């Protein structure tokens, strides 16, 4: 039996500003990290010490088809290690991402999000947060660290 109250949906926008992707500010360019991916990797790391499980609800099997090679590799590594992965659709549909967000909220007791602007009206993360609030879920906003304060190894 899975207890809904202890399940969390985790959702977030890109973890680094677009300027870094373009190499502005005098820093070496690198690809932006997606919060959802980093969160999944963190749960897998935590699982080494604590009895937690990682269940993914994914929009479609084609989700990663247009991703960069390195992102696809990270995604495949995560899929190998999860407890379960559920694909809602075989193929991409115009609303599959939103249906995934709906499914995450419906199965969760709270929502953890990385959203730079909690008042945002557009975007998948903002949609998920609005849905979670509408369903009465506690929403935990992770406060973004100023990127200038990050030390990248």
């Amino acid at each position: 039996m899975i207890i809904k109250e202890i399940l969390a949906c985790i959702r977030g926008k890109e973890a680094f500003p677009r300027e870094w992707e373009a190499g502005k500010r005098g820093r070496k360019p690198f690809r932006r990290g997606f919060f959802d991916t980093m969160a999944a990797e963190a749960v897998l790391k935590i699982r080494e010490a604590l009895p937690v499980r990682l269940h993914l609800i994914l929009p479609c099997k084609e989700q990663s088809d247009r991703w960069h090679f390195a992102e696809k590799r990270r995604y495949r590594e995560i899929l190998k290690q999860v407890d379960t992965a559920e694909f809602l659709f075989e193929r991409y549909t115009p609303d599959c991402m939103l249906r995934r967000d709906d499914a995450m909220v419906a199965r969760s007791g709270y929502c953890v999000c990385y959203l730079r602007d909690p008042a945002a009206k557009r975007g998948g993360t903002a949609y998920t947060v609005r849905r979670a609030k509408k369903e009465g879920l506690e929403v935990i906003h992770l406060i973004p660290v100023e990127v200038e304060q990050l030390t990248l190894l």
Side-chain angles (χ1 to χ4, degrees):
M1 172 198 277
I2 298 175
I3 302 170
K4 181 177 177 177
E5 288 75 28
I6 62 172
L7 295 178
C9 61
I10 300 175
R11 196 70 172 84
K13 289 294 289 176
E14 294 85 3
F16 302 104
R18 293 180 185 274
E19 291 83 21
W20 278 37
E21 181 181 22
K24 296 180 182 174
R25 299 186 188 180
R27 293 176 175 89
K28 183 177 178 183
F30 68 96
R31 293 193 61 83
R32 287 178 284 156
F34 291 97
F35 177 76
D36 301 12
T37 300
M38 290 186 278
E41 290 169 335
V43 169
L44 292 171
K45 185 70 176 165
I46 291 167
R47 193 168 69 174
E48 295 172 7
L50 298 172
V52 297
R53 295 184 296 182
L54 181 58
H55 302 282
L56 300 182
I57 301 174
L58 303 161
C60 63
K61 291 184 177 180
E62 298 172 339
Q63 171 175 289
S64 64
D65 284 1
R66 295 184 182 183
W67 293 0
H68 182 272
F69 175 77
E71 293 164 345
K72 286 182 184 182
R73 184 175 53 219
R74 283 175 75 187
Y75 178 67
R76 284 192 300 266
E77 284 302 312
I78 291 168
L79 284 179
K80 287 182 199 174
Q81 299 176 63
V82 301
D83 294 287
T84 62
E86 175 186 352
F87 294 93
L88 297 179
F89 298 92
E90 284 292 318
R91 297 188 180 278
Y92 178 84
T93 66
D95 69 341
C96 68
M97 302 295 183
L98 297 177
R99 299 300 65 88
R100 180 266 325 264
D101 296 342
D102 291 340
M104 288 193 314
V105 168
R107 298 175 193 174
S108 298
Y110 58 98
C111 175
V112 177
C113 69
Y114 182 97
L115 185 61
R116 289 179 190 266
D117 178 8
K121 302 290 184 211
R122 298 181 56 179
T125 302
Y127 172 84
T128 305
V129 169
R130 282 194 311 276
R131 285 295 309 239
K133 287 179 179 178
K134 182 179 177 186
E135 296 299 321
L137 273 62
E138 177 183 0
V139 176
I140 301 167
H141 289 275
L142 300 179
I143 302 169
V145 175
E146 288 298 320
V147 175
E148 288 76 17
Q149 295 174 2
L150 290 177
T151 302
L152 300 176
L153 303 178

